[in-house]
Amino acid sequence: MKEKWNAYDPQPFYDELIAAKHQPRQSSYKLVEYLRNFSATGFKRCVDESEAVIREMGISFTVYSDAGNIDRAWPFDVIPRVIPGNEWDRTEMGLKQRIRALNMFIQDVYNGGKAIKDGVIPADVVMQSKGYREACVGITPPHGVWANICGSDLVRHSDGVMYVLEDNLRVPSGVAYMLENRNITKRVLPEIFNKLPIRPVRDYPSHLYEMLASLRPELERPTIALMTPGIYNSAYFEHAFLAQQAGLVLLEGADLMVGKDDYVYMKTIQGLERVDVIYRRIDDEFIDPEVFREDSILGVPGIMRSWKAGKVAIANAPGCGVADDKVIYAYVPDLIRYYLNEEPSLPNVPTWVCRRPEEREYVLEHLAELVVKPANESGGYGMLVGPHSTAAQVEEFRKLIQENPNNYIAQPTLNLSVTPTCTEDGAIEPRHLDLRPFILSGSDIYVTPGGLTRVALVKGSLVVNSSQGGGSKDTWIVDDEKTPETDGQEDEV
């Protein structure tokens, strides 16, 4: 393997492990040396074992296609991504700052709209957001927190700075894969965990349970359920995994009902049992056919009535998606300044808002150089990556922006950081990546040490989504080596 590592050259990109050719970063030096000392046969054995573990543990995701739903094994790369502990501490502070401001904004949107009245954000930007729910006006959820589980996507540019790319507030997914990535890595590279002080992630399920329980502080032992759309949902593996790990009851909408007393009950063979907290993995529009989509068979009739009466807590709260909007994203730095009277610790990616005439003019003139995103799409869909698009695709987006400028933002094409990644032919080459840490907000705020690193497995690609050919890596937050090993092998895998 030494020849492959000696030949590795990340230029011209910022590399997470390698500062320059033959020069590992300080935080990743021991990892790189450990990997360099594998024989080619030994390293391939690790790769093969990781694939076998994934099959054995049934770690999968579902891809929707015209040909039907396809279950695929989770795509995993065995070379971890490393972030120094002191850098992560600053990042964690910035994420906590951001989620505090976002929750204050959502609370304000549904209770007076002071930021709108003060001119911080235009009223039509908020009211035209697909996540805005009139039915939520006047509601204050427990602790004033609407987005209890957030997955913020971070990217590092060639300047070495970590930027917030977007905030996923509605039904963020991926945390189960973060946990399983660590389990796989500890199976195939066990010795390295005794050499480096790697922060553990294994306690996320207990933090999740504690956060959900805090939404009903008056109850000593609340009954907490995870509400799933069912086995055909692309994230069902995660739903089942989290329910099992955190001690939640896994239910579908058909398993629940709202009684005449407005409490929510689950149907059991012993009769009806009350449910106090629901971690819902269903979009707003399907959650209650009495309020939103009448044709929904996934939700529970009357659950919004129960939530408004304070007889069930729902995480994330209905209506929180108003802040999960790529146009509103452009205003988040101003919202942080407005609500917290602080400067943002984590910067946004520079953003042009197409509803502003002068910014729209710039975007239309530079379409072939920019990334253009619609307000409410996710998963990498519905966007234009100018430098990787055809002339016809660029012209198509020009028409879309001209027809509905309020729906689009544009950003520069970032030189996303890279990290050493295994290729199908056994080489080690740089591949682009991002990071999704998870933030839990209830009576307190908890941020996962690291998160889900997603990597574009296709050479030159910037698309990291697993549904579009991306994969993932274990993410290590490595502390100063004066501290003891924190994620050693005494734990069960």
Side-chain angles (χ1 to χ4, degrees):
M1 291 297 293
K2 288 182 179 178
E3 315 82 54
K4 294 180 181 181
W5 283 99
N6 288 341
Y8 182 85
D9 187 358
Q11 295 299 324
F13 303 105
Y14 183 103
D15 192 285
E16 300 288 335
L17 295 191
I18 308 296
K21 193 171 183 180
H22 308 309
Q23 295 180 28
R25 296 189 184 280
Q26 183 177 352
S27 57
S28 59
Y29 178 81
K30 283 192 174 181
L31 170 64
V32 173
E33 285 302 298
Y34 172 74
L35 295 173
R36 274 170 49 88
N37 286 322
F38 271 95
S39 66
T41 303
F43 187 74
K44 186 178 186 305
R45 190 179 302 120
C46 290
V47 173
D48 292 344
E49 185 181 352
S50 72
E51 294 172 354
V53 169
I54 288 168
R55 290 192 299 270
E56 171 193 324
M57 298 171 73
I59 307 171
S60 64
F61 70 104
T62 303
V63 177
Y64 299 127
S65 70
D66 293 337
N69 299 344
I70 304 169
D71 281 330
R72 291 182 176 169
W74 180 243
F76 174 75
D77 185 78
V78 298
I79 303 176
R81 182 237 192 104
V82 176
I83 300 173
N86 56 2
E87 180 191 6
W88 185 252
D89 291 339
R90 297 190 298 270
T91 303
E92 180 179 314
M93 289 177 59
L95 290 167
K96 288 181 175 180
Q97 177 195 60
R98 194 173 180 95
I99 196 62
R100 282 199 303 270
L102 286 168
N103 274 309
M104 293 173 75
F105 167 66
I106 303 168
Q107 173 68 8
D108 186 18
V109 165
Y110 295 117
N111 293 273
K114 193 170 183 295
I116 294 173
K117 294 172 184 174
D118 288 346
V120 180
I121 187 168
D124 62 317
V125 168
V126 176
M127 301 306 170
Q128 289 176 13
S129 168
K130 287 185 179 179
Y132 177 77
R133 305 291 180 218
E134 186 69 32
C136 297
V137 172
I139 303 296
T140 295
H143 313 298
V145 172
W146 293 75
N148 305 100
I149 302 102
C150 171
S152 291
D153 290 345
L154 307 180
V155 293
R156 195 192 300 276
H157 187 40
S158 55
D159 57 7
V161 175
M162 198 85 83
Y163 292 85
V164 180
L165 186 64
E166 60 183 51
D167 304 290
N168 298 284
L169 304 177
R170 285 173 288 191
V171 190
S173 63
V175 73
Y177 300 109
M178 174 197 79
L179 296 169
E180 291 288 46
N181 285 351
R182 177 60 53 85
N183 289 337
I184 298 165
T185 307
K186 290 172 76 173
R187 285 275 291 269
V188 301
L189 302 175
E191 299 89 351
I192 190 63
F193 284 87
N194 295 319
K195 299 177 184 292
L196 284 170
I198 303 162
R199 295 189 193 179
V201 296
R202 63 186 178 275
D203 54 355
Y204 176 86
S206 62
H207 283 288
L208 174 64
Y209 181 89
E210 290 166 8
M211 181 278 291
L212 293 169
S214 81
L215 304 185
R216 295 299 300 272
E218 75 279 12
L219 301 177
E220 186 175 344
R221 291 180 63 86
T223 299
I224 306 174
L226 189 152
M227 183 178 172
T228 174
I231 61 173
Y232 298 109
N233 184 265
S234 62
Y236 184 74
F237 168 84
E238 175 162 289
H239 303 168
F241 178 89
L242 289 177
Q244 191 272 331
Q245 293 290 311
L248 314 179
V249 184
L250 184 64
L251 298 171
E252 297 182 27
D255 300 320
L256 296 167
M257 63 166 287
V258 176
K260 292 181 180 179
D261 56 2
D262 284 345
Y263 282 103
V264 176
Y265 295 89
M266 59 178 168
K267 305 166 190 175
T268 76
I269 57 175
Q270 286 85 27
L272 297 178
E273 294 184 19
R274 205 173 89 184
V275 175
D276 305 303
V277 181
I278 295 175
Y279 173 19
R280 53 109 178 186
R281 298 297 297 258
I282 295 175
D283 288 336
D284 286 355
E285 56 186 323
F286 297 103
I287 198 170
D288 188 341
E290 289 184 2
V291 178
F292 301 120
R293 284 185 56 158
E294 295 179 359
D295 62 344
S296 173
I297 60 172
L298 300 176
V300 184
I303 197 171
M304 285 291 290
R305 185 173 68 250
S306 179
W307 176 62
K308 288 182 177 182
K311 295 187 175 181
V312 70
I314 301 176
N316 286 349
C320 73
V322 67
D324 188 344
D325 178 292
K326 291 179 177 61
V327 176
I328 288 176
Y329 159 92
Y331 294 87
V332 172
D334 290 336
L335 295 174
I336 292 171
R337 297 181 186 102
Y338 178 75
Y339 291 113
L340 303 179
N341 195 30
E342 298 172 359
E343 281 301 308
S345 297
L346 288 175
N348 270 19
V349 175
T351 303
W352 294 273
V353 180
C354 293
R355 71 190 310 276
R356 299 169 181 160
E358 68 282 3
E359 295 185 24
R360 179 168 69 252
E361 183 179 346
Y362 177 88
V363 170
L364 293 173
E365 288 177 359
H366 297 83
L367 265 182
E369 307 163 18
L370 302 174
V371 176
V372 180
K373 301 177 181 179
N376 289 282
E377 291 288 347
S378 61
Y381 294 101
M383 59 188 281
L384 174 81
V385 181
H388 297 270
S389 301
T390 65
Q393 290 170 327
V394 169
E395 289 310 308
E396 178 187 352
F397 264 78
R398 187 184 309 280
K399 291 177 183 176
L400 290 172
I401 293 170
Q402 290 170 335
E403 290 169 2
N404 187 11
N406 288 0
N407 190 48
Y408 292 94
I409 64 163
Q411 296 170 333
T413 305
L414 298 181
N415 287 323
L416 298 189
S417 64
V418 296
T419 197
T421 303
C422 303
T423 66
E424 289 187 355
D425 61 2
I428 296 175
E429 297 180 356
R431 293 290 187 267
H432 296 290
L433 73 171
D434 75 355
L435 176 65
R436 178 176 291 182
F438 296 88
I439 306 101
L440 300 177
S441 302
S443 56
D444 199 2
I445 300 176
Y446 166 79
V447 180
T448 55
L452 178 65
T453 286
R454 302 181 300 174
V455 57
L457 297 177
V458 178
K459 187 173 184 176
S461 174
L462 299 176
V463 180
V464 298
N465 307 81
S466 56
S467 59
Q468 298 191 59
S472 72
K473 291 171 169 281
D474 193 10
T475 308
W476 293 0
I477 306 302
V478 176
D479 279 312
D480 184 304
E481 296 209 40
K482 294 175 184 175
T483 59
E485 166 63 42
T486 54
D487 202 4
Q489 296 302 299
E490 73 278 3
D491 308 309
E492 287 188 13
V493 174

